[in-house]
Amino acid sequence: MMISTKGRYALRVMIDLAENYGNGYIPMKEVAERQNISLKYLERILPVLTKNKLIEGVQGKGGGYRLTATPDRYRVGDILRLTEGDLAPVACLSCESDTCERAAGCKTLPMWTEFYRLTNAYFDGISLSDFVKSGESKDSELSL
């Protein structure tokens, strides 16, 4: 599985907003500079996050974006599934897939199913607040 730039950048934006949670609306220009992401690219990611109510934005003076909930309410898995689609490692496990005609006799299906379960459980076990906390300590295993 390969997470695209869109998914990685969306996580970086969300972590940046989590680190600034409680500071009002954060201008995307500031986030773009801190995260070294072009503003033009962010303008392609923000509508997805806004449409799905992960963030809210205000235009004009004092405008920007902010999280719609506390950082602990955001799971990395939800953000990745939103930006990447299903995290299924093989097509037959994808939400969009019909049941495979070989599923009943497939010797590898249990392996792929367990990998899929582990992947989702891992990403769903990490919240944005974990990244904020990891930034406060130097012994973190989490980094992007």
Side-chain angles (χ1 to χ4, degrees), residues 3 7-8 11 76-85 87 123:
I3 304 298
R8 292 191 330 268
L11 276 175
V76 168
D78 293 332
I79 298 165
L80 289 177
R81 282 186 291 274
L82 182 63
T83 55
E84 298 292 319
L87 299 176
F123 287 130

Side-chain angles (χ1 to χ4, degrees), residues 86-100 109 112 116:
D86 194 351
L87 299 176
V90 290
C92 61
L93 292 177
S94 174
C95 294
E96 300 161 2
S97 175
D98 293 330
T99 304
C100 176
L109 185 58
W112 293 123
Y116 184 41

Side-chain angles (χ1 to χ4, degrees), residues 22-124:
N23 294 336
Y25 290 93
I26 309 300
M28 266 306 108
K29 183 177 180 182
E30 292 178 14
V31 175
E33 289 173 5
R34 280 194 296 269
Q35 297 302 319
N36 196 28
I37 302 172
S38 80
L39 195 53
K40 190 171 184 93
Y41 197 92
L42 285 183
E43 290 170 352
R44 291 178 32 206
I45 296 171
L46 295 174
V48 174
L49 300 174
T50 304
K51 178 183 172 192
N52 288 279
K53 301 187 183 338
L54 273 69
I55 62 174
E56 61 184 5
V58 172
Q59 294 193 1
K61 185 173 170 74
Y65 290 84
R66 70 179 182 187
L67 300 178
T68 57
T70 58
D72 62 310
R73 304 282 305 208
Y74 295 89
R75 300 181 311 173
V76 168
D78 293 332
I79 298 165
L80 289 177
R81 282 186 291 274
L82 182 63
T83 55
E84 298 292 319
D86 194 351
L87 299 176
V90 290
C92 61
L93 292 177
S94 174
C95 294
E96 300 161 2
S97 175
D98 293 330
T99 304
C100 176
E101 61 201 40
R102 296 179 37 93
C106 182
K107 294 188 186 274
T108 62
L109 185 58
M111 172 189 68
W112 293 123
T113 302
E114 179 63 7
F115 179 70
Y116 184 41
R117 186 193 67 74
L118 289 169
T119 300
N120 281 290
Y122 177 74
F123 287 130
D124 287 341

